[in-house]
Amino acid sequence: AFSTSTFTETDRSIVGDDPHVLLSAANNLLFVSTQGAVGVSVLDPTTLDHVPGSPIAIPNVHGAGMTSSGDIFYTTNITGGGADALFAIDTATLTLAGPGTPDSTSFPTPHNIALSPDNQRLFVGHSGAASTKVSIFDISNPADPTLLGAVDAQLNPFGIATVPAIPEPSAWLLA
């Protein structure tokens, strides 16, 4: 944690390597995926202490994504070769969210995650020197992601993000 007035470190929690951190809007808890750790750490943002039920045991965790409501946290199994690639976690119970999770992909190294602005699709970039794939999941039922397929995205789609559509200009703007 850092002071917003002095920018000095005020506290620290040991979680693991290469942390990906998100704050849940549903319960104001920090969800931290860390490669090389035993799972997803869940921290109280005011103390940085692990909450009961943390860490959540998931193998080789890495990526991090969350629904805009903060009810479901998603993470990837980066070294599983595509098997058990995507996990959905219920942020209230700190357990796997539904019977369909984890979900697998056809491609190795599932890495970073992005959700569509309408929370209907989830995208997983597969990193690596020869990787070109982004897997697409239907998350209309957020607790039970369904793999729809994949698209080519050039070499090593490491960073991934989505942006809302830009609305068409109104007729009066064009006049």
Side-chain angles (χ1 to χ4, degrees):
F2 288 86
S3 164
T4 57
S5 59
T6 65
F7 301 106
T8 57
E9 184 176 334
T10 59
D11 203 356
R12 179 180 293 237
S13 183
I14 304 300
V15 291
D17 299 332
D18 206 8
H20 291 65
V21 182
L22 290 175
L23 178 67
S24 171
N27 58 12
N28 202 38
L29 293 175
L30 292 170
F31 286 75
V32 186
S33 294
T34 54
Q35 193 170 342
V38 295
V40 175
S41 295
V42 185
L43 308 175
D44 178 323
T46 58
T47 64
L48 295 184
D49 291 335
H50 285 259
V51 301
S54 171
I56 303 163
I58 293 177
N60 313 304
V61 296
H62 197 73
M66 193 171 310
T67 57
S68 57
S69 64
D71 294 333
I72 303 291
F73 175 80
Y74 300 98
T75 191
T76 57
N77 170 359
I78 194 167
T79 61
D84 295 341
L86 179 68
F87 289 79
I89 298 169
D90 182 314
T91 61
T93 64
L94 306 185
T95 60
L96 294 181
T101 188
D103 221 324
S104 296
T105 70
S106 302
F107 306 102
T109 324
H111 194 156
N112 290 318
I113 297 171
L115 279 71
S116 63
D118 64 1
N119 285 283
Q120 297 297 300
R121 297 287 185 265
L122 181 144
F123 305 89
V124 175
H126 297 269
S127 63
S131 178
T132 63
K133 299 295 184 186
V134 173
S135 291
I136 304 168
F137 291 84
D138 176 350
I139 57 168
S140 55
N141 175 358
D144 192 12
T146 302
L147 180 65
L148 297 175
V151 295
D152 282 314
Q154 299 297 320
L155 284 177
N156 195 14
F158 182 84
I160 188 166
T162 61
V163 294
I166 299 171
E168 291 292 322
S170 314
W172 66 270
L173 285 175
L174 299 175

